Amino acid sequence: MSDVKDGVLDAPVERTPPISNREAARLMLRSFEYLGPLKGQMTVKIGFQILAMLPLIVLPWPTKMLIDHVIQGLAVADLPYSYPFFVAPLAEAILGMSPTGMAIFVGSFLSGMLLLIGAWGMSGRDQTFANVAQGTDEASRSENHANQAFSYMGGILGLIDYRWTLRLTHNLNHHYRSKLFGRMQRLPMTSLDDQRIGDSVYRVMYDTSAITEVCYRLVLTPITAPLHVALVVWVIYLSYGDQPVVIWTALSIVPAALMITFPFSGALRRRMQAARDTGSETTTTIEESINNILAVQSLGGQDREKKRFDDDSWRSFAEWRKLAVLWILMIVLAGLAAAAVGLFVVYELTDKIFTGEMTVGDLTVLMAYYLQIGFSATNAGRLWVYLQGRVIGLRRAFDLMDAEIDHQPEIAKPLKDVREGYVFEDVSFNYPDGTPAMKNVSLEAKRGTLVALAGPAGAGKTTLAYMLPRFITPASGRSTIDGNDIMLLDRQDLRDRIAFVFQEPALFDATVGENIRVGKPDATDEEVQRAAEVAGAAEFIRHLPEGYDTPLGRNGGRLSVGQKQRLSIARALVRDAPVLILDEPTAALDPETEFRLVAALREASKDKLVVVIAHRLSTIRHADQIIFLQEGEIRERGSHEELMQREGGAYRRFVELQRGGGGVR
Amino acid sequence: MSESAGTATQTPGPSGQGDPPKLGNIIKLAFRTLPYLRGTWRDILRLAAVALPFILLAIPVTMLSTDLVVNRLLRGEPVTSIEATLLMLDPAQFVDVEKLTVESRQILRGRMVLFAVVSTVIGTPIFLGVVFYFLRLIQRINQSLRMHMMAQVQAMSMRHHASTRVGESIYHAYQDSSMVANLMFMLIRPIPSMIRAVWLVFFVYLLDWQLTAMLGALYVLAFLLARWFGARLRVEFRKAREANTRLTARIQETMAGIKVVKAFGIEAEEQGHFDRHSRDAFHSAYRARSLLAAYGIVSFIFSAIPPLAAACYLAVYANEGRELVAGAALAFTGFAVWNLGAYSYAMGRMNSAAGAVRGLMGMWGVTQDMTVGMERAFSQVDLKPEVQNADDAVAFPGLQDEVTFENVSFAYQPERPVLQNVELAAKAGTITALVGPTGSGKSTLVSLLLRLFDPDEGRIRVDGKDIRGFTLESLRDNISIALQENLLFGTSIRENIRYAVPEASDETVRDAARVACADEYIMEQPEGYDTPLGERGTKLSTGQRQRLSIARAVIKDTPVLILDEPTASLDADTELRVLQNLSEWGKGRAIFIITHRLSTIRQADHIVYLRDGKVEEQGSHDALMVREGGAYRRFVELEEGSREEQPAAAASPALGAVGGAK
């Protein structure tokens, strides 16, 4: 781990520390947690799976009839072993028929089976699944996983079973997605700052399918695989019980299959992880170079970036190749083992045929049954290996489910209005990595005043502002509204009393009017227009093709930064909350609009608490109280005039440099 | 609302909305992958050369072993003389007898087992070798595709990136390359199946003509089925893909605006939207996948009919001992008449043919979804870089006198012009400040100088020569830029500084850092200049990163230097020092500074005030300040806070009205 650099840990898809078998098991079991409401559907699916076993048990026998009676012309009575009870009716029906009659009869029976379950003999057995080939990358594989469903049958029953299963996995998946999306919305502001959007999309869209799949397969296979094996062994015993070699061959297939698949599981998991890690490194490389495309192009780094990508990509391919070799090796070994069993069986059973103890038909029946056992056993054996591939996604999803979410006290105090204002006493806050962001801040912000937060970048202005709506919770100290501890207030209530304008305006894919109404869904057209007027947005909205009904497209695609900013200010103004917070609202405004806005804010502050973060003097100087922050601490506070009188004061120096009067040239 | 979102996220493609890509188009698309196979034909031939002898050998071997196992071993019939020779058996004991004794059957069994073991031991390594070779081949094709797309993405003009999301670009380069590789694979993989299917339809004629007829009928039917389902599958999968895109866009949007969502407490509404979109997505996926499943089932049933029918009537033939069509020719294998061995063998061929058809149909079904993605993949490959070298481009000769913009206009999207008729001149040895509100086009203006895109109208000249006449490389080599967003790479500080000049000495690096006032804090880092930076240099503060990117621009030592809000996050003292260093260093160079800060602007010789993409005013600070009511003067006054009284009164009623709307 020590060689893992910070940069790699910052990568969107993290380099994952190895997951132990025990943790893998724990994670897998945990995916059952959410199965609750779908128990009924799951039970039906298990029922289908069991139902599918019955025809499989019957299928070898009609083929035997064709071989023994039609081709070899043996009479039913001549057989060394009689038919088991469940095929007896069929055997009775063909009694005394001509070979042609028998062929027609058996043929019609098999046609019926084909239509019903999509299988008619040993070589043709349908299984229904509908994966698409979208590419070999993680995302599209997950897309297939998300639509994971299969049926061990074909035909009419197979289609019904498949559709049922698909519904089931979709329901499960939707449930998880929805849940994870909800969690994500509730993450505290600080962790959202770090989290990348692409990463969240990935988690919601694809990692959740890991939960679904693990949960679904982990319920099904352990129930159905042993049941199937037991059923087949029982049927073999029923028919050929007096031949011990037949029985113990059947029984030895299971451990043989498991012994081949199991030792590989550890190696496979490690290779899988290595392959994934190099894959995500490649993604990081390409992401970095596209993110930095401006720098790359302007600094002439294309060739170097290409080389870097080339190397990373090829290394990732090499890892995948190693994984593939291991897989192929496993499959070949399994195939060889199956061939060995086959040879052994032929060796043992041909003696019985030489002596007439068994017919060729009996041999085909037994071979068919052995194949079925091998199939189920390998399925069960591979389950663990297969699921391990999904564990990483599982953990990413669960990590998010477990992440700390927005604080909400158990008994939340309502907050109907803000009368007095905020009081902070010795409040501190640390970044997630432990470095202090704010140290012992005490302040008072009264309703009816305009408070400006000023100071150099990184001084903690935004952090302080985030504490007001409890976007972040302090590490120590006490903050109150009208004497009530903020931590005890109801989250929704608290935020309903506040209107916040962020530094980067974010708009939704909706109309102009709808975007403003985010602040107050039931605002009248008049209110919306007035807010737009004050924010300086009314004019450009009038020039839009459909005015307030103009759709904006993704993140306000059609607007300039300044226009977006004005809309987000209008959104806050229409909310008409007692507390109004603006984080650098004027950076993208031209002087005139800024001036009007500042004037409006001053007016508003007669009745509200207005908190403004600003760099520009023109915005700051009118504040009733200026709080000058530096390195997470309050350096000075007071009105512009008061602070300007302090000889050598931090604020005064800040202002002088802003004006360019501080002895330049 | 979902309606409008639908059209907005529609997958662009030549075939337009809802209209499924035609069969012909798919085949055309498939053939477009051929050029990427260039350089691999030899490998493919080599693979075929290894595989072919085995395939040919397999025909008699399968016939003989089926006969040996079924007819001789299991049924105890005497061995043909050819078989006896091959297995080195005594003809007296094996050929010229009525029925094989138990003892000779055991000997025969021993030989057969031996044969199976030997062929497995020889065959497995060869098989593994072929598989591995093939894997490498596919990966190599994929790698070259990826590289091609990556180069494409990089060469694309910034205009493209401004309209495409970063994520989408990655998606293109990464996913689409594997998509193309997959299609190519899909193009190769059916070939053996097709050969098998065609070969078998003739081959089974040797056994029984009705088998041929049934297979022929199956092929026709399969083709019709595939065509009927294919069109419907494409429609359904396109719908599913669109629903999925809408859902992804929804999540992206919510997460992009999450602060607003939280601040305004609209989580519940967003959750509602999400749930609806998620259900929609699953619903369309359900329809598409169900159809694909049904297609699989139907194709299985149809392809199973010929073998099933053959199983029944050939059983009767065997019972009757009827003669094979080419019985005489096949007598050496023991298949002169229908018997259990011939039956087994024929069933094996029928199943193989049915399997080939099933496989082809399956591949066809699975490929339907890819065609939707393929169109996009190829659209990416086809995009021509917008900014290219002119045929007669010359190397940038250096700056003697001045850089001029003449009537330059530019727009990322036609409906929203970013720059309109910009005129300006920047002399060597001067600092030009570009001033104006955010979004007024300042950054775009300097990007044009770098030819990250070309102007729609007008021209940019250096010493009177249009910059489009210079090679891109030489132009960019002669301009350095310190960007607004300080993009750093995940290497050491030193490597980051000399990114543009990899051969720069440590001393040069340090000098550049000194100009940018970065030396001090770098030396305070744990490993000094060798301190590694995380992705985007997360360990440094914004101000530190800004200084690093200034150093990076300085080290390039070019006649033109552009600083895009380079000092916004520096404290006033540092900013002052950086600027003084720069004006010292910048003698004889043209320096452009984009900035908001008055203290920075005052350092400039020439100020260009931009608003809404137009140059509103330009001149020196003093010249602009004497203009009564000038835009720049107003800006300065507001910035200094020396004008305040009268507009406040004008604005106040407006907000009063909002406040009073309770």
Side-chain angles (χ1 to χ4, degrees):
Chain A
M1 273 307 289
S2 59
D3 61 353
V4 176
K5 302 246 161 55
D6 281 9
V8 181
L9 286 174
D10 283 338
V13 182
E14 294 154 28
R15 185 187 262 276
T16 36
I19 299 173
S20 66
N21 275 327
R22 178 187 290 196
E23 202 202 338
R26 194 181 57 76
L27 285 169
M28 286 182 198
L29 285 180
R30 200 180 147 187
S31 52
F32 290 140
E33 258 176 48
Y34 307 90
L35 193 58
L38 297 165
K39 269 194 196 113
Q41 281 189 52
M42 199 72 201
T43 313
V44 173
K45 170 65 190 169
I46 295 173
F48 267 120
Q49 202 100 344
I50 293 169
L51 185 70
M53 293 172 195
L54 303 179
L56 287 179
I57 297 294
V58 178
L59 272 179
W61 298 98
T63 313
K64 173 186 153 74
M65 291 173 184
L66 282 180
I67 290 172
D68 282 353
H69 306 313
V70 183
I71 299 176
Q72 304 200 89
L74 298 171
V76 176
D78 293 346
L79 293 180
Y81 290 99
S82 56
Y83 287 99
F85 69 91
F86 52 84
V87 262
L90 209 59
E92 267 163 44
I94 59 166
L95 215 57
M97 278 189 186
S98 71
T100 315
M102 274 194 253
I104 291 172
F105 184 81
V106 172
S108 344
F109 176 77
L110 287 178
S111 306
M113 293 288 262
L114 176 64
L115 203 61
L116 195 66
I117 61 155
W120 66 273
M122 285 162 298
S123 58
R125 173 176 164 205
D126 197 9
Q127 289 188 30
T128 306
F129 49 88
N131 286 346
V132 291
Q134 287 179 315
T136 48
D137 68 319
E138 193 58 21
S140 54
R141 211 169 302 154
S142 304
E143 188 57 37
N144 273 334
H145 287 307
N147 293 293
Q148 183 68 232
F150 59 84
S151 169
Y152 283 128
M153 295 181 282
I156 295 165
L157 280 178
L159 189 60
I160 295 171
D161 184 20
Y162 176 83
R163 285 169 67 106
W164 182 272
T165 316
L166 190 60
R167 265 274 189 264
L168 171 67
T169 47
H170 278 176
N171 280 338
L172 260 175
N173 225 327
H174 172 73
H175 183 71
Y176 287 130
R177 272 187 184 175
S178 183
K179 188 131 188 139
L180 208 59
F181 182 81
R183 295 292 294 193
M184 207 127 63
Q185 287 202 80
R186 287 288 178 208
L187 287 176
M189 211 59 116
T190 37
S191 53
L192 282 167
D193 280 342
D194 310 330
Q195 218 100 47
R196 285 147 182 280
I197 297 165
D199 189 46
S200 355
V201 173
Y202 196 91
R203 289 194 190 209
V204 170
M205 292 293 286
Y206 301 128
D207 284 344
T208 47
S209 71
I211 307 182
T212 311
E213 214 189 336
V214 167
C215 160
Y216 158 74
R217 290 206 178 219
L218 211 51
V219 172
L220 269 190
T221 317
I223 294 179
T224 54
L227 197 65
H228 184 210
V229 170
L231 189 65
V232 173
V233 171
W234 177 68
V235 168
I236 294 177
Y237 178 78
L238 206 66
S239 306
Y240 305 100
D242 61 334
Q243 300 276 3
V245 66
V246 168
I247 306 295
W248 71 255
T249 308
L251 288 172
S252 63
I253 292 174
V254 177
L258 294 183
M259 256 161 59
I260 292 161
T261 46
F262 248 63
F264 276 93
S265 89
L268 268 176
R269 195 188 59 228
R270 279 189 296 276
R271 285 268 73 83
M272 231 182 251
Q273 212 151 59
R276 259 166 230 271
D277 286 345
T278 51
S280 63
E281 265 167 43
T282 317
T283 322
T284 310
T285 305
I286 191 171
E287 191 186 43
E288 233 182 48
S289 80
I290 291 174
N291 272 334
N292 298 1
I293 187 116
L294 200 63
V296 171
Q297 292 210 344
S298 59
L299 295 168
Q302 282 107 311
D303 288 343
R304 225 157 332 133
E305 286 305 304
K306 234 158 88 177
K307 175 87 179 64
R308 205 154 70 98
F309 177 71
D310 193 2
D311 294 344
D312 280 355
S313 170
W314 191 240
R315 205 173 325 125
S316 134
F317 276 131
E319 282 298 334
W320 281 112
R321 219 158 45 229
K322 283 186 205 160
L323 179 64
V325 168
L326 209 60
W327 259 117
I328 293 169
L329 211 63
M330 187 169 118
I331 289 166
V332 165
L333 269 184
L336 287 181
V341 170
L343 271 183
F344 176 79
V345 170
V346 169
Y347 211 90
E348 282 296 323
L349 298 187
T350 40
D351 266 342
K352 315 274 183 242
I353 291 170
F354 296 166
T355 56
E357 282 173 74
M358 277 187 184
T359 64
V360 179
D362 290 325
L363 183 64
T364 55
V365 169
L366 280 172
M367 288 304 257
Y369 280 150
Y370 289 160
L371 275 178
Q372 286 187 19
I373 295 175
F375 180 79
S376 272
T378 330
N379 249 0
R382 279 192 195 152
L383 178 70
W384 184 247
V385 178
Y386 182 83
L387 291 183
Q388 295 219 320
R390 312 290 289 144
V391 164
I392 292 152
L394 213 57
R395 183 159 78 176
R396 283 159 49 91
F398 282 139
D399 277 354
L400 195 55
M401 294 251 191
D402 295 340
E404 182 200 354
I405 55 163
D406 256 1
H407 176 77
Q408 169 78 340
E410 273 178 36
I411 307 157
K413 226 178 192 177
L415 179 73
K416 290 293 156 237
D417 196 10
V418 177
R419 280 184 301 274
E420 298 291 317
Y422 280 89
V423 176
F424 276 43
E425 292 163 31
D426 270 337
V427 173
S428 299
F429 176 77
N430 299 334
Y431 287 122
D433 64 358
T435 50
M438 262 178 53
K439 286 166 270 181
N440 306 324
V441 166
S442 297
L443 61 85
E444 222 175 298
K446 283 208 160 21
R447 184 166 177 169
T449 62
L450 174 63
V451 177
L453 305 180
K461 303 187 292 288
T462 302
T463 309
L464 183 53
Y466 275 3
M467 287 192 168
L468 303 176
R470 207 172 68 202
F471 287 153
I472 54 177
T473 54
S476 64
R478 199 176 122 89
S479 44
T480 56
I481 295 178
D482 301 347
N484 300 311
D485 193 326
I486 290 186
M487 299 305 290
L488 301 178
L489 294 173
D490 179 68
R491 181 176 54 210
Q492 191 75 36
D493 262 11
L494 173 62
R495 293 186 185 163
D496 279 349
R497 304 285 91 79
I498 297 170
F500 206 117
V501 179
F502 294 92
Q503 219 167 330
E504 313 90 22
L507 298 177
F508 297 97
D509 186 2
T511 66
V512 172
E514 282 166 334
N515 262 294
I516 295 178
R517 277 201 183 83
V518 165
K520 187 182 180 189
D522 55 352
T524 64
D525 287 352
E526 230 188 355
E527 284 172 303
V528 169
Q529 281 163 21
R530 257 181 309 200
E533 200 80 48
V534 178
E539 199 194 318
F540 84 80
I541 295 173
R542 259 194 294 279
H543 287 110
L544 291 173
E546 293 160 68
Y548 286 86
D549 297 324
T550 312
L552 289 179
R554 259 199 227 173
N555 198 24
R558 295 190 191 170
L559 303 179
S560 76
V561 186
Q563 290 169 333
K564 285 188 210 171
Q565 185 123 40
R566 277 174 251 189
L567 276 190
S568 64
I569 293 170
R571 174 195 289 163
L573 292 177
V574 83
R575 194 165 172 84
D576 194 25
V579 180
L580 176 60
I581 305 168
L582 302 98
D583 191 351
E584 301 224 31
T586 54
L589 301 185
D590 60 83
E592 213 50 62
T593 316
E594 179 193 357
F595 200 85
R596 290 217 338 263
L597 179 73
V598 172
L601 292 179
R602 285 173 70 192
E603 180 63 30
S605 70
K606 285 177 186 158
D607 179 40
K608 302 166 190 288
L609 167 61
V610 180
V611 179
V612 179
I613 298 176
H615 274 305
R616 288 204 192 170
L617 213 50
S618 44
T619 314
I620 303 169
R621 53 174 293 144
H622 305 290
D624 298 301
Q625 184 185 196
I626 297 168
I627 294 176
F628 190 77
L629 289 157
Q630 220 166 6
E631 287 165 15
E633 284 173 280
I634 297 184
R635 277 294 151 85
E636 290 181 324
R637 77 185 86 198
S639 72
H640 179 72
E641 285 70 26
E642 282 164 19
L643 294 179
M644 284 308 283
Q645 272 156 23
R646 289 200 198 170
E647 202 69 52
Y651 177 75
R652 183 169 160 172
R653 194 165 160 66
F654 172 78
V655 170
E656 279 168 358
L657 282 163
Q658 279 275 296
R659 287 179 172 173
V664 185
R665 291 204 173 182
Chain B
M1 189 151 143
S2 65
E3 285 290 303
S4 69
T7 47
T9 53
Q10 193 83 29
T11 324
S15 43
Q17 305 180 3
D19 182 26
K22 292 275 175 332
L23 189 71
N25 291 351
I26 295 164
I27 293 163
K28 250 182 260 160
L29 274 177
F31 275 104
R32 296 196 38 192
T33 63
L34 288 180
Y36 296 99
L37 290 174
R38 206 178 295 141
T40 55
W41 288 118
R42 189 182 298 219
D43 296 281
I44 292 171
L45 284 179
R46 216 177 279 159
L47 269 176
V50 172
L52 200 65
F54 286 96
I55 293 169
L56 291 178
L57 194 65
I59 298 167
V61 168
T62 319
M63 276 189 175
L64 286 170
S65 51
T66 308
D67 179 57
L68 280 165
V69 170
V70 176
N71 286 339
R72 319 301 161 197
L73 199 62
L74 296 181
R75 304 266 303 141
E77 284 161 17
V79 173
T80 65
S81 53
I82 291 175
E83 287 168 346
T85 321
L86 284 174
L87 290 175
M88 290 175 290
L89 297 166
D90 178 13
Q93 194 188 342
F94 287 91
V95 182
D96 310 320
V97 288
E98 186 65 23
K99 201 158 168 74
L100 294 180
T101 62
V102 172
E103 201 178 63
S104 15
R105 281 163 89 172
Q106 280 163 344
I107 295 172
L108 179 61
R109 181 176 65 188
R111 295 282 157 94
M112 291 305 292
V113 169
L114 188 68
F115 172 76
V117 170
V118 168
S119 52
T120 309
V121 168
I122 297 172
T124 307
I126 295 174
F127 168 76
L128 281 179
V130 169
V131 167
F132 194 60
Y133 195 86
F134 191 66
L135 184 68
R136 246 188 100 90
L137 185 63
I138 288 286
Q139 286 193 336
R140 227 175 50 217
I141 296 169
N142 203 344
Q143 170 83 357
S144 75
L145 261 170
R146 272 190 188 177
M147 291 309 295
H148 181 80
M149 295 219 182
M150 172 78 177
Q152 199 74 28
V153 168
Q154 288 220 334
M156 213 66 73
S157 95
M158 293 302 298
R159 197 195 303 240
H160 181 75
H161 287 292
S163 56
T164 325
R165 287 158 169 274
V166 172
E168 252 162 74
S169 301
I170 297 170
Y171 185 81
H172 275 317
Y174 211 66
Q175 152 123 357
D176 289 355
S177 70
S178 66
M179 180 86 93
V180 175
N182 246 18
L183 187 80
M184 230 156 13
F185 188 54
M186 288 279 171
L187 197 66
I188 299 168
R189 222 176 51 171
I191 295 173
S193 296
M194 280 188 222
I195 294 173
R196 194 149 56 106
V198 173
W199 151 249
L200 283 171
V201 77
F202 292 111
F203 185 73
V204 292
Y205 185 79
L206 296 179
L207 310 172
D208 183 62
W209 67 268
Q210 293 168 56
L211 295 178
T212 303
M214 284 196 300
L215 284 184
L218 170 64
Y219 294 170
V220 173
L221 200 64
F223 177 77
L224 292 176
L225 266 178
R227 222 177 59 161
W228 193 87
F229 269 100
R232 275 148 194 83
L233 281 170
R234 287 193 292 275
V235 175
E236 292 300 333
F237 270 110
R238 174 171 290 221
K239 279 187 199 154
R241 195 180 269 263
E242 279 162 11
N244 227 12
T245 313
R246 277 198 295 276
L247 176 63
T248 313
R250 187 81 227 173
I251 304 173
Q252 249 166 1
E253 197 182 271
T254 307
M255 287 302 139
I258 188 70
K259 288 183 180 173
V260 175
V261 170
K262 291 171 87 72
F264 290 85
I266 52 170
E267 285 100 338
E269 283 92 331
E270 288 298 309
Q271 184 83 46
H273 286 311
F274 174 82
D275 283 357
R276 216 183 47 243
H277 279 96
S278 170
R279 288 234 172 262
D280 279 355
F282 277 129
H283 184 70
S284 15
Y286 180 75
R287 288 176 56 105
R289 304 262 168 174
S290 293
L291 189 66
L292 185 58
Y295 168 71
I297 286 169
V298 170
S299 59
F300 183 93
I301 290 177
F302 278 99
S303 67
I305 291 172
L308 172 56
C312 296
Y313 84 77
L314 290 181
V316 177
Y317 282 10
N319 178 277
E320 294 166 357
R322 196 184 284 210
E323 213 174 302
L324 266 77
V325 169
L330 295 173
F332 76 99
T333 60
F335 296 161
V337 292
W338 284 105
N339 50 31
L340 188 55
Y343 174 84
S344 300
Y345 183 74
M347 285 315 297
R349 294 323 95 204
M350 286 306 278
N351 282 327
S352 170
V357 172
R358 202 146 56 221
L360 285 171
M361 288 179 84
M363 278 181 240
W364 174 249
V366 154
T367 323
Q368 296 314 300
D369 180 51
M370 285 175 64
T371 59
V372 181
M374 285 311 296
E375 285 169 8
R376 202 196 44 217
F378 279 111
S379 77
Q380 181 77 7
V381 178
D382 290 344
L383 282 178
K384 281 266 170 298
E386 194 178 337
V387 177
Q388 281 174 310
N389 277 334
D391 293 335
D392 52 352
V394 296
F396 185 79
L399 172 71
Q400 306 302 325
D401 188 23
E402 61 174 3
V403 177
T404 52
F405 281 64
E406 290 170 14
N407 193 32
V408 169
S409 298
F410 178 77
Y412 293 102
Q413 296 147 6
E415 70 269 25
R416 200 160 71 77
V418 179
L419 289 175
Q420 293 176 59
N421 313 95
V422 170
E423 298 268 356
L424 69 88
K427 293 230 180 289
T430 65
I431 297 181
T432 305
L434 303 173
V435 186
T438 310
S440 56
K442 305 184 296 289
S443 297
T444 308
L445 195 133
V446 295
S447 311
L448 291 179
L449 189 55
L450 272 167
R451 285 196 70 201
L452 294 179
F453 12 68
D454 284 332
D456 297 331
E457 244 180 78
R459 58 196 47 194
I460 303 166
R461 292 179 196 272
V462 171
D463 296 337
K465 284 180 227 105
D466 193 323
I467 58 168
R468 273 175 285 205
F470 303 131
T471 61
L472 272 177
E473 299 72 30
S474 70
L475 179 72
R476 289 180 189 166
D477 279 349
N478 280 285
I479 299 174
S480 39
I481 181 165
L483 291 166
Q484 191 175 5
E485 288 162 63
N486 304 282
L487 305 156
L488 300 177
F489 297 93
T491 53
S492 71
I493 291 183
R494 190 192 314 278
E495 292 308 318
N496 265 288
I497 293 179
R498 64 178 175 204
Y499 183 82
V501 195
E503 65 280 5
S505 72
D506 292 356
E507 205 36 55
T508 325
V509 169
R510 199 148 177 203
D511 287 342
R514 284 206 188 97
V515 173
C517 295
D519 185 56
E520 294 156 43
Y521 83 79
I522 293 172
M523 293 312 284
E524 285 167 16
Q525 298 296 316
E527 295 166 62
Y529 280 85
D530 296 316
T531 309
L533 299 176
E535 204 200 20
R536 297 220 200 170
T538 34
K539 281 169 83 183
L540 299 179
S541 75
T542 323
Q544 289 171 332
R545 288 192 306 203
Q546 282 188 336
R547 277 177 275 173
L548 214 54
S549 71
I550 294 173
R552 181 151 77 183
V554 165
I555 203 172
K556 239 178 123 183
D557 193 22
T558 54
V560 179
L561 173 68
I562 299 166
L563 303 167
D564 189 349
E565 303 224 30
T567 55
S569 295
L570 299 189
D571 62 70
D573 288 325
T574 318
E575 184 203 10
L576 194 59
R577 277 168 45 222
V578 172
L579 284 174
Q580 279 167 347
N581 290 349
L582 277 178
S583 55
E584 179 94 355
W585 171 85
K587 297 214 166 71
R589 306 167 205 262
I591 299 181
F592 292 86
I593 299 186
I594 297 175
T595 182
H596 279 304
R597 279 205 184 175
L598 222 46
S599 51
T600 316
I601 298 170
R602 289 217 175 131
Q603 300 270 309
D605 303 288
H606 189 73
I607 295 162
V608 179
Y609 189 85
L610 283 164
R611 191 175 161 176
D612 292 333
K614 289 179 212 147
V615 176
E616 202 144 280
E617 286 181 325
Q618 55 180 319
S620 72
H621 177 74
D622 297 335
L624 293 177
M625 282 308 281
V626 275
R627 285 203 201 169
E628 201 69 51
Y632 177 75
R633 180 170 164 175
R634 218 165 48 228
F635 164 76
V636 173
E637 282 170 351
L638 280 164
E639 203 66 19
E640 287 188 326
S642 58
R643 197 185 79 152
E644 56 175 312
E645 299 316 325
Q646 96 292 6
S652 49
L655 191 92
V658 170
K662 285 181 199 176

